[in-house]
Amino acid sequence: MSFLNQAPSRRNILLGGIGLAALALAGCAKDVRPLADGSASPTDSPSTSPSSSDSASASASSSASGSTRIIPEDEYLKDSDKYLGPLKYEYKELSNKYVEATDTSPAKNVPTPVIDQTARRTNTLEGAYKTLCAYQSSYVYLMRTGTIEYAINLMNKDDTKLSAELLNVHTLYSKGGWVKGYENKMSILSEYRTRAYASTELSAVSFPCEDWASEFTTYQNGSSQVQEASTIQVPVILVFDQGKWNVTSAEFFRSEYSERFKKIFAGSGGSSSSSSGGSYSGTGV
């Protein structure tokens, strides 16, 4: 049995209900709807929004506590177009040549991912984007080496849905298995909007992404199994909390953050509508 069959899939972890819609504040929402092939695509749903004067008032307001400033969505996402297209995975150059995995041995001299810690600790769209890039490059590194530290440090340690998948790969390698031929490309789609709830205390960004994974083979206990190539469209959410960005699973966002966001944005008069809150909704994991 492949290690991928022993825990929730990457798609299900990221996909189901990965949504700022759980906040139910903005009056505009996105749905994640299944395609005929079983993948998923974010699609627009009907929306309504307050007047521009209401938006201006809300965007300038603070939360009910009076200590948190809400940042209008259009202000927070003003440079979002420059992040469209393929994510920029960065790796450190190694002195030894990278050797791909074979049928008899795992990869060798795999370049390590670059983690921009300064960007990760900056409450901006750029910070969210660079953290997502770092996580994706760390995930590729995990799949090629079994080394979990880079990826798991870019998520909340209590996000068990997300960590279970990472630990599955790590366990495969720790038991003498490996992966051959894994490649991944993630892109931010132009046909759907990046959305955000942003404040000086707590922020969330939902990137509409296409995630492509190549066909690859897992080896374990003298047997092998081919995993088919896949392409899905999925919103991916990151949360800025306690001074840093983390990639967040759908379930953890709902359980950990929904009420906290409600307290901040409900106190602003119902978020800043089209200029201060975006949302995705889904069917659940």
Side-chain angles (χ1 to χ4, degrees):
M1 176 182 291
S2 165
F3 75 95
L4 290 180
N5 293 328
Q6 298 175 14
S9 73
R10 176 175 171 82
R11 173 194 169 199
N12 287 337
I13 290 167
L14 292 174
L15 180 61
I18 204 163
L20 304 181
L23 307 182
L25 294 173
C28 47
K30 297 269 187 178
D31 290 331
V32 180
R33 304 182 188 278
L35 300 177
D37 63 358
S39 61
S41 172
T43 57
D44 288 318
S45 64
S47 64
T48 59
S49 61
S51 66
S52 58
S53 61
D54 291 336
S55 299
S57 173
S59 65
S61 67
S62 297
S63 70
S65 66
S67 61
T68 302
R69 185 178 74 87
I70 291 176
I71 306 169
E73 187 183 37
D74 54 359
E75 175 186 328
Y76 200 81
L77 301 179
K78 62 182 179 180
D79 296 323
S80 60
D81 285 354
K82 74 180 183 180
Y83 300 115
L84 298 176
L87 299 189
K88 298 176 181 177
Y89 298 4
E90 293 186 70
Y91 299 93
K92 298 176 183 177
E93 292 187 8
L94 300 179
S95 56
N96 296 322
K97 183 179 179 182
Y98 169 56
V99 179
E100 295 183 356
T102 67
D103 293 338
T104 57
S105 64
K108 300 179 178 65
N109 307 322
V110 181
T112 56
V114 172
I115 312 296
D116 188 335
Q117 293 292 352
T118 299
R120 189 188 179 198
R121 296 185 179 277
T122 304
N123 186 4
T124 62
L125 180 63
E126 180 180 32
Y129 173 81
K130 288 190 174 181
T131 302
L132 176 57
C133 291
Y135 181 82
Q136 286 298 112
S137 59
S138 297
Y139 187 84
V140 172
Y141 185 72
L142 168 66
M143 289 290 286
R144 292 175 178 174
T145 67
T147 301
I148 197 173
E149 287 77 11
Y150 293 98
I152 208 163
N153 285 332
L154 292 168
M155 51 162 284
N156 191 296
K157 62 181 177 61
D158 296 321
D159 191 343
T160 54
K161 277 278 189 177
L162 200 54
S163 62
E165 184 201 8
L166 305 182
L167 288 167
N168 241 3
V169 183
H170 176 68
T171 299
L172 170 74
Y173 277 85
S174 68
K175 292 183 176 181
W178 68 93
V179 173
K180 183 187 79 170
Y182 182 80
E183 300 287 344
N184 171 266
K185 294 179 182 178
M186 180 175 279
S187 297
I188 297 176
L189 300 169
S190 60
E191 55 264 48
Y192 309 109
R193 290 183 59 192
T194 296
R195 306 308 302 262
Y197 278 109
S199 76
T200 52
E201 176 184 336
L202 188 67
S203 296
V205 173
S206 185
F207 291 105
C209 295
E210 181 171 89
D211 188 30
W212 171 84
S214 67
E215 179 181 284
F216 62 95
T217 305
T218 59
Y219 295 83
Q220 189 174 22
N221 299 326
S223 62
S224 64
Q225 182 171 344
V226 176
Q227 306 289 334
E228 295 181 357
S230 64
T231 301
I232 61 169
Q233 291 184 351
V234 55
V236 178
I237 198 168
L238 292 94
V239 173
F240 186 86
D241 185 26
Q242 299 182 354
K244 61 185 178 183
W245 288 102
N246 282 320
V247 177
T248 304
S249 71
E251 184 173 290
F252 190 74
F253 180 83
R254 287 195 297 269
S255 64
E256 180 71 13
Y257 292 112
S258 291
E259 291 303 318
R260 292 179 62 189
F261 273 97
K262 283 181 182 179
K263 289 179 181 178
I264 294 172
F265 286 88
S268 73
S271 92
S272 297
S273 72
S274 60
S275 64
S276 178
S279 58
Y280 280 99
S281 64
T283 57
V285 180

